[in-house]
Amino acid sequence: MSQENWKDVIGCDEVDGDFPEEITVDGIYLAIFNCDGRYFAASGFCSHEDAKLCDGYLEGGIIECPLHHSRFEVASGKVLSEPATEDLVTYPVEIREGRVFVLFPS
């Protein structure tokens, strides 16, 4: 993938470890997670019924949907509990000079 697909989306200091940050880049709604200083980007909506994951409960690298309590591993997007059955879309992340960069599909 080309370098142009990397987007500077948010400062590391803007992403609290207790709550994901919601952002929209080029029409894509994302949740940015800070898990003990490691940053991850995933679809901002639950794969079950499109609830905003940024309104959910984050602990130990797991996000719980606020609507029906499906749980997902933020690093991989893997669904861990029903009613969701589909993993979250995740995006590669790089940290550059205190900023979170996300690689978007071309």
Side-chain angles (χ1 to χ4, degrees):
M1 291 188 191
S2 69
Q3 186 69 15
E4 291 76 35
N5 294 343
W6 286 100
K7 306 258 184 183
D8 178 350
V9 299
I10 197 167
C12 293
D13 59 348
E14 298 175 66
V15 187
D16 187 299
D18 295 324
F19 303 98
E21 285 294 322
E22 60 182 82
I23 59 169
T24 302
V25 178
D26 296 338
I28 299 173
Y29 178 71
L30 296 176
I32 305 295
F33 302 93
N34 173 355
C35 299
D36 296 323
R38 295 180 60 215
Y39 294 83
F40 303 97
S43 169
F45 293 110
C46 179
S47 62
H48 174 241
E49 284 198 9
D50 291 335
K52 287 185 171 186
L53 290 175
C54 288
D55 294 335
Y57 177 71
L58 176 65
E59 183 178 20
I62 307 296
I63 186 73
E64 182 177 275
C65 175
L67 189 58
H68 295 117
H69 310 290
S70 291
R71 296 170 61 239
F72 301 89
E73 181 180 63
V74 299
S76 67
K78 182 175 175 50
V79 64
L80 301 175
S81 65
E82 294 182 341
T85 58
E86 192 174 316
D87 294 343
L88 297 176
V89 174
T90 60
Y91 299 85
V93 168
E94 283 186 5
I95 304 305
R96 302 179 193 166
E97 298 179 12
R99 305 282 306 167
V100 177
F101 283 74
V102 175
L103 180 61
F104 290 88
S106 52

